[in-house]
């Protein structure tokens, strides 16, 4: 982004350029690593590149630098780290339907073994997202990665994998009637997860069953979502961002009866994510903008907004924009880094 396009930012952004288009980000905070998956069209096929980025310095003097890059034979669509050691697996999803497992090493110069140690095959089309389960031993303890992985795909399926057991899926969940756009584990229930799709559904799942435990139907494609506590925020293909209070979801199957509109990007929402403490939500999309909103009034303002909606009175959004950044292209992925301290205790 152009520094002149930053509104409300605490400091200038750290920038890196890539040979291909960056599509996905994963963060491994113990070693201050960022993995970036990129793609480019070569002829009729997509090629990819996997890059490891290092972060040095503290606070206002942070710097990013490329440590290592590895070419892949498919475009990269999603990334995730898995493991409890300081040499975790890096999982990359491809537009060929495969999930590649890369072993990281302790070396500083080349922390990534240049060939996948294994490949997970179960999807018949582009893999759209990966989610590694992270469990807390207590409410005050940081989350730790487990061996269970969820993946979603254009083939409408969501697959469950246990990386410690097998390279074959141990669960297959098929209820979306079109592309499954995103899947995420619940942050509070080790058996629960959520998914969204091009069919407009937001589905709630228990991994022990083969059918959704609940769900809501939106009027258009739900492109992405995130959860924090009882909040679920989702983005749509038209640019709308909505909030659902999970405590108030009843028997109605229509998302509109439970949704409070927050903002509109006027273009497809590609990614959104709560900060680790839930105090902020970062939203990016095809309008080439990154917005960061404060969510401290989400509960109270949403209650007021629903009452005004019922009475057909316009209402201010229940979030306050704190930063806006304009990019030269779509904002494809967003991740927060809680261990790099800034004015708000985390960076996006």
């Amino acid at each position: 982004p152009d520094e002149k396009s930053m509104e409300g930012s605490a400091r200038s952004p750290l920038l890196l350029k890539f040979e291909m288009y960056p599509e996905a980000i994963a963060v491994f905070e113990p070693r201050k690593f960022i993995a970036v998956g990129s793609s480019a069209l070569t002829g009729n096929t997509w090629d990819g590149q996997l890059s490891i980025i290092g972060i040095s310095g503290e606070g206002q003097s942070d710097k990013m630098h490329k440590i290592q890059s590895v070419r892949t034979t498919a475009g990269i669509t999603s990334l995730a780290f898995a493991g409890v050691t300081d040499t975790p697996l890096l999982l990359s999803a491809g537009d060929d339907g495969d999930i590649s497992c890369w072993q990281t090493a302790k070396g500083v110069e080349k922390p990534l073994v240049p060939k996948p140690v294994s490949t997970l095959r179960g999807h018949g089309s582009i893999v759209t997202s990966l989610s590694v389960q992270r469990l807390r031993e207590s409410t005050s303890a940081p989350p730790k990665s487990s061996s269970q992985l969820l993946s979603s795909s254009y083939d409408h399926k969501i697959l469950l994998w246990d990386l410690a057991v097998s390279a074959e899926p141990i669960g297959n969940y098929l209820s979306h009637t079109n592309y499954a756009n995103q899947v995420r584990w619940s942050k509070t229930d080790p058996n629960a997860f959520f998914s969204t799709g091009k069919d407009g559904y937001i589905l709630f799942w228990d991994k022990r069953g083969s059918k959704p435990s609940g769900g809501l139907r939106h009027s258009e494609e739900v492109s992405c979502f995130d959860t924090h506590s009882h909040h679920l925020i989702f983005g749509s293909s038209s640019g709308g961002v909505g909030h659902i209070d999970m405590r108030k979801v009843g028997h109605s199957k229509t998302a509109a009866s439970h949704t409070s509109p927050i903002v509109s990007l006027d273009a497809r929402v590609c990614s959104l994510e709560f900060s680790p403490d839930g105090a902020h939500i970062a939203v990016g999309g095809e309008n080439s903008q990154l917005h960061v909103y404060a969510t401290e009034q989400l509960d109270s303002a949403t209650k007021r907004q629903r009452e005004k909606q019922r009475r057909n009175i316009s209402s201010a959004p229940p979030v306050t924009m704190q930063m806006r950044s304009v990019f030269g292209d779509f904002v494809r992925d967003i991740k927060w880094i809680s261990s790099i301290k800034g004015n708000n205790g985390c960076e996006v």
Side-chain angles (χ1 to χ4, degrees):
D2 185 340
E3 290 182 22
K4 294 180 181 178
S5 70
M6 302 291 289
E7 297 179 6
S9 176
R11 67 175 191 188
S12 298
L14 305 178
L15 306 177
L16 276 180
K17 284 190 174 289
F18 293 84
E19 296 80 14
M20 299 182 178
Y21 297 105
E23 300 278 354
I25 307 170
V27 177
F28 185 63
E29 296 192 28
R31 293 181 66 185
K32 288 190 175 181
F33 279 170
I34 299 175
V36 178
S38 305
S39 302
L41 187 62
T42 304
N44 294 324
T45 61
W46 287 90
D47 293 329
Q49 186 176 66
L50 190 57
S51 301
I52 301 295
I53 308 303
I55 307 170
S56 58
E58 293 293 337
Q60 297 293 322
S61 61
D62 286 335
K63 295 181 179 179
M64 289 197 301
H65 57 280
K66 294 181 185 178
I67 299 175
Q68 183 183 3
S69 293
V70 176
R71 295 294 292 267
T72 62
T73 56
I76 296 175
T77 56
S78 184
L79 294 173
F81 281 104
V84 296
T85 68
D86 60 355
T87 56
L89 280 177
L90 175 58
L91 309 171
S92 68
D95 57 16
D96 58 357
D98 291 347
I99 302 170
S100 299
C101 305
W102 307 78
Q103 183 62 61
T104 60
K106 291 185 177 181
V108 176
E109 294 184 359
K110 290 189 176 182
L112 188 67
V113 176
K115 290 186 178 181
V117 293
S118 63
T119 301
L120 308 180
R121 293 188 171 96
H123 286 294
S125 188
I126 296 172
V127 179
T128 54
S129 73
L130 301 174
S131 181
V132 174
Q133 187 178 51
R134 303 188 185 281
L135 304 174
R136 293 181 184 269
E137 295 178 354
S138 66
T139 55
S140 60
K144 289 186 176 181
S145 171
S146 81
S147 61
Q148 297 216 328
L149 167 73
L150 289 166
S151 59
S152 60
S153 171
Y154 274 18
D155 64 7
H156 309 182
K157 292 190 298 186
I158 296 165
L159 297 182
L160 173 62
W161 314 78
D162 193 326
L163 301 174
V165 174
S166 172
E168 300 293 328
I170 62 172
N172 187 336
Y173 308 93
L174 183 58
S175 281
H176 284 289
T177 57
N178 209 317
Y179 301 160
N181 285 333
Q182 189 173 22
V183 63
R184 285 187 188 259
W185 285 102
S186 167
K187 297 172 184 175
T188 57
D189 184 341
N191 292 313
F193 64 92
F194 308 90
S195 66
T196 56
K198 188 177 176 65
D199 55 11
Y201 277 103
I202 304 169
L203 297 180
F204 318 140
W205 300 85
D206 186 309
K207 70 177 184 181
R208 296 165 295 187
S210 60
K211 298 295 181 182
S213 57
L216 296 171
R217 177 72 183 271
H218 193 51
S219 59
E220 57 191 14
E221 177 182 356
V222 181
S223 52
C224 56
F225 75 100
D226 195 16
T227 63
H228 182 82
S229 182
H230 54 275
H231 302 295
L232 187 151
I233 292 183
F234 66 91
S236 72
S237 56
S238 67
V241 179
H243 167 251
I244 295 174
D245 187 334
M246 299 295 291
R247 300 170 302 179
K248 298 184 172 19
V249 174
H251 296 293
S252 172
K253 302 297 184 182
T254 305
S257 61
H258 299 285
T259 300
S260 299
I262 294 179
V263 294
S264 177
L265 301 188
D266 298 320
R268 182 185 180 89
V269 183
C270 297
S271 183
L272 53 78
E273 183 154 308
F274 276 104
S275 62
D277 59 4
H280 298 84
I281 183 83
V283 183
E286 292 187 359
N287 66 346
S288 304
Q289 295 184 17
L290 167 70
H291 291 207
V292 177
Y293 299 93
T295 60
E296 56 189 1
Q297 297 182 358
L298 199 56
D299 277 323
S300 58
T302 300
K303 187 182 298 183
R304 294 195 303 270
Q305 187 169 347
R306 280 184 175 172
E307 176 60 22
K308 289 183 178 181
Q309 281 180 331
R310 187 181 67 81
R311 298 166 58 190
N312 200 26
I313 301 174
S314 62
S315 176
V319 291
T320 303
M321 187 172 73
Q322 293 199 328
M323 190 194 84
R324 181 176 73 94
S325 177
V326 180
F327 287 74
D329 206 339
F330 300 164
V331 178
R332 301 292 297 175
D333 200 6
I334 298 171
K335 292 293 184 294
W336 289 87
I337 309 175
S338 60
S339 62
I340 301 173
K341 303 300 180 184
N343 290 349
N344 295 321
C346 53
E347 301 288 344
V348 62

